[in-house]
Every structure is written in structure tokens, then in C-alpha cells.
Amino acid sequence: MKKLKGITWNHSRGFTSIVAVSQRFEELYPDVQISWEKRSLQAFADEPIDQLAERYDFLIIDHPWAGFAARTQVIMPLDTLLPQDFMKDLEENTVGRSHESYAYNNHQWALAIDAATPVASSRPDLFEKEGLKFPETWDDLVELSKTGKVAIPGIPQDTLMSFYMVCSTLGENVCETKEYVVSEEIGLKALQMLRDLGENIKEESYDWNPIKVCEAMTKTDDYVYAPFGYGYTNYSREGYARVPLKYHDMVAINDQKLISTLGGTGLALSSKCEEKEMASKFLEFAGSLDVQKGIFFDNGGQPGHRKAWTDQRVNSKCMDFFSDTLPALDRAFLRPRYNGHMYFQDRAGAPIREFMMKGGDPKTLLSQLNELYIKSLSQND
């Protein structure tokens, strides 16, 4: 019996989907056994993959680890293992830049089996009941937030992604020079816009990740709208939550819809895996279109294959989650992936969160972000 072990994250989108795919694979290949463990969403973003690669064969990873993977070789370059026509299909059928997000130094370090970016979600029943205006612009959003009925994922990781988002939408991507995170003009404007919204957000939101926002919106009637949070198709499906969420594209700033920060997850293979041939077969199986739009989606997954996002049956089961949010995925910003960026990502969100909640001096904050950024670049030498 060939035994393989994987680590994923603790949500139906990340766990039941890949477990179901593994179960079917075991039925097709009776000489293999695949077991999965799960970790928190925060650990998924933070925990170094070199430590995971010591203990697991399969790793569900976040794409900012791509630069680290290329430097350390702790996971396998999948383009050296998988058929070229299969890899070409994934490249041609990427959702936004999801496939590219796991490519670094001319190799592919994971398969984008899951695609996501912050998008808007709402409770249409409550909008109708309370006679509220659906927001189309950032100013509309700030006005709606004054009702206390807007929720955001406000933990440090997500506030940093929101900062990236506003900067990109204002016309300047972050971390594109070695001198600063973003220009002072754009950085100060982005911070002030986040503060304008943040001062109207309830304190509990600042302890929430995107999953907790979805749970609050479906367990209670306290919130009508979340303007940006990594999308979870699970909550748009009948029977998953008390009431379903309707997902939308996002509001606009100066006629430009928000350019949010690409997320999603990738399926990687540890360099220490002793059953690489069988593991490669599983990778190809899990990333195939039929599995992505079938077993994977049907068991809570959020596919990474574009043809699953445009599939009529898939969309019919989730209030058109995929077709309605695909434009946001296609314009999403691909965050930095250089080897030292995780140092910055782990530290830059907390002061932005504090500023959104309590205000302060935005110039001092921007200087602090620049210092962290320059220090992170030195880790890439």
C-alpha cells in the first residue's frame, strides 16, 4: 500500500473538497491511501512550508510562498513531473492570474486548484426589507457603513490586502520599486479612504477573517453587506448556511471597480515525497476539469479551472457565484512573491488595522510600512 499524507486548511472549501477527490482517487487506484490533516486559515497563510514539507507529501499553500519555494526547493517544480499538455491546459484556463501566481524562476511550484479574490457579498432579503441603497461607489459604501450594517474582514492579514487593493485601484501597485511600498501620494490617500470606512465598522469585525464575516452574515441579520472579502462559494449554496449570501463584483473608485488582491490555494508536492509517481497521478487528477467541476466543486471546493467557473451546472447551484465574480478575479492584483515578502506580510497588517480602527498619523504609518518593506527586501539577498 502506497501511503500519502497531505495538509490543507480548516474549512469545507479546503478540506471536504480535497478529501472527496482523494477518496475517489483511492477507488480508482486501490493500492494507494491518501490522508489529510487540516490547520487554521491563519496558519495556512503564515506557517513556513519548509516545516510542512518535512511532514507531508501534499501541501495546500498560499502563492506568496512561491519565491521561498524557488529559493529552497522544499517543494517540487511540477512542470518537471506533469505532462506538458496538462500544464498547458491549466495555463490557458487560468482564473485571472491564479496559475501564474505559483510560477517563479521559470518553474511551476503548485497547481491552482482553487481560485479566489476579495469580492462583495450581500443579504438581498435585508436590503429589500430595510429599503437600503445598494452601493455602487466607494462613497456609497462609506455612507452605507454609517448604518453599522457593513462587515469587513479586519484582521491584520486582510487589512493589508485591503490596503494593496485601494492602492491598485487608485492606479499604483505596491512593492514595485526598492525605495518604498507605494508613493506617498497614493499611500496617504489609500490609508485615508480605509480610515473613512473603518471608523464606521463595528469593533468585532476587526477580529474576523473572511470566514467569520460569512458566518456572521448568515447566522444573524446584523449585517447586510460585506464590500470585500475573499469569496466563499459555500455560502451561496442552498443548505450550507441558515440563509445564503449573494456574491457580487465590487464598488468603484473614480469609475474603476476595486482591484482586489488575488488569493486562492495551490496544491504542491514535497520534495521529500517517496511516491512521486503516484503523487503525480493524483495531482493531475485533482487539477483536471472533470474533477474540478465535478467531485471537487460538489464537495465544497472553489475550482481553479476557468471552465468550471463558466460551467452552467456549477453556476446554477450557487446563485451564479462564479460568473458574477469572474470579472473581479480577472483584474485582481498579484501580490509580491519575492523570497522576503512574507516578512513584510506578517508585520505590515497590524498597524494598518490599528489606523482603520482608531486613526492616527498616516505619514508616520507609511514610513513604518516603508521600513518594514526595505527590511524584507534584504531577506531576498
Side-chain angles (χ1 to χ4, degrees):
M1 181 67 71
K2 298 178 175 69
K3 293 188 176 183
L4 294 163
K5 189 175 180 181
I7 181 71
T8 182
W9 49 291
N10 187 19
H11 190 269
S12 301
R13 182 178 134 199
F15 185 70
T16 58
S17 54
I18 198 68
V19 169
V21 171
S22 301
Q23 175 62 32
R24 181 59 184 138
F25 187 79
E26 289 178 0
E27 292 165 3
L28 296 171
Y29 296 91
D31 61 335
V32 67
Q33 185 179 80
I34 304 175
S35 61
W36 287 90
E37 294 179 9
K38 54 193 175 182
R39 53 188 172 144
S40 71
L41 183 62
Q42 193 64 50
F44 158 76
D46 294 344
E47 193 171 355
I49 62 171
D50 54 337
Q51 298 174 21
L52 297 174
E54 293 283 338
R55 311 195 303 271
Y56 300 97
D57 300 293
F58 298 119
L59 289 71
I60 301 290
I61 68 169
D62 199 9
H63 65 251
W65 284 105
F68 179 83
R71 173 68 65 90
T72 61
Q73 307 276 307
V74 294
I75 55 178
M76 292 293 296
L78 299 184
D79 51 289
T80 66
L81 292 176
L82 301 177
Q84 287 187 3
D85 58 346
F86 171 72
M87 298 300 287
K88 186 69 173 174
D89 174 69
L90 296 188
E91 181 182 358
E92 292 175 349
N93 287 287
T94 182
V95 178
R97 299 175 71 181
S98 295
H99 183 76
E100 177 192 347
S101 71
Y102 299 99
Y104 205 87
N105 283 2
N106 300 313
H107 287 295
Q108 190 73 25
W109 300 99
L111 302 183
I113 62 165
D114 171 294
T117 202
V119 291
S121 59
S122 74
R123 286 281 303 276
D125 58 324
L126 297 179
F127 266 95
E128 182 177 357
K129 178 182 176 182
E130 301 186 26
L132 295 169
K133 178 180 180 288
F134 194 84
E136 300 291 343
T137 68
W138 188 271
D139 288 343
D140 291 344
L141 169 60
V142 172
E143 194 62 31
L144 181 63
S145 72
K146 293 175 183 177
T147 66
K149 296 179 180 295
V150 171
I152 64 168
I155 61 171
Q157 167 85 6
D158 288 281
T159 50
L160 179 62
M161 297 303 104
S162 297
F163 176 68
Y164 290 174
M165 172 186 70
V166 178
C167 289
S168 291
T169 310
L170 290 172
E172 188 177 326
N173 292 336
V174 300
C175 304
E176 292 201 332
T177 80
K178 293 187 176 181
E179 285 75 43
Y180 48 74
V181 176
V182 68
S183 70
E184 185 174 279
E185 179 186 359
I186 295 296
L188 294 180
K189 187 171 182 180
L191 289 171
Q192 187 57 56
M193 292 177 73
L194 289 170
R195 171 59 182 159
D196 292 343
L197 174 65
E199 65 180 334
N200 301 321
I201 299 297
K202 290 180 182 175
E203 189 173 344
E204 62 184 2
S205 259
Y206 288 100
D207 293 323
W208 289 349
N209 62 23
I211 295 171
K212 289 186 176 180
V213 170
C214 293
E215 293 289 352
M217 291 182 71
T218 54
K219 285 178 179 177
T220 77
D221 295 337
D222 296 342
Y223 296 98
V224 301
Y225 189 71
F228 38 79
Y230 285 97
Y232 278 78
T233 177
N234 314 81
Y235 297 92
S236 65
R237 306 188 200 191
E238 185 177 350
Y240 185 79
R242 180 181 69 95
V243 289
L245 294 180
K246 174 62 183 168
Y247 282 85
H248 316 264
D249 205 337
M250 294 167 290
V251 300
I253 298 173
N254 302 329
D255 296 324
Q256 169 64 61
K257 285 187 179 291
L258 292 175
I259 300 171
S260 55
T261 309
L262 187 68
T265 70
L267 178 59
L269 180 65
S270 169
S271 295
K272 297 205 169 186
C273 176
E274 295 179 356
E275 300 288 352
K276 288 187 175 63
E277 183 177 351
M278 183 58 74
S280 297
K281 289 181 180 178
F282 177 75
L283 289 165
E284 189 174 356
F285 182 73
S288 66
L289 173 59
D290 286 346
V291 169
Q292 285 266 291
K293 71 178 185 179
I295 297 168
F296 186 77
F297 167 75
D298 289 338
N299 288 276
Q302 192 161 297
H305 198 291
R306 190 177 189 86
K307 288 180 180 175
W309 278 66
T310 58
D311 184 82
Q312 185 175 356
R313 182 191 77 90
V314 167
N315 275 285
S316 72
K317 291 182 175 293
C318 57
M319 300 168 65
D320 295 323
F321 171 95
F322 294 97
S323 58
D324 285 350
T325 61
L326 184 56
L329 271 291
D330 282 342
R331 66 173 184 271
F333 165 64
L334 179 57
R335 78 189 99 150
R337 296 166 299 146
Y338 61 88
N339 184 39
H341 189 69
M342 293 306 293
Y343 176 90
F344 181 76
Q345 181 172 296
D346 289 345
R347 293 162 176 80
I352 298 173
R353 173 181 178 270
E354 187 75 6
F355 181 78
M356 284 187 70
M357 292 176 70
K358 301 175 183 177
D361 182 0
K363 285 194 174 184
T364 300
L365 172 53
L366 197 57
S367 294
Q368 184 180 354
L369 297 178
N370 286 334
E371 288 175 15
L372 287 170
Y373 174 57
I374 290 168
K375 191 167 184 180
S376 75
L377 290 174
S378 69
Q379 317 234 336
N380 199 33
D381 293 338

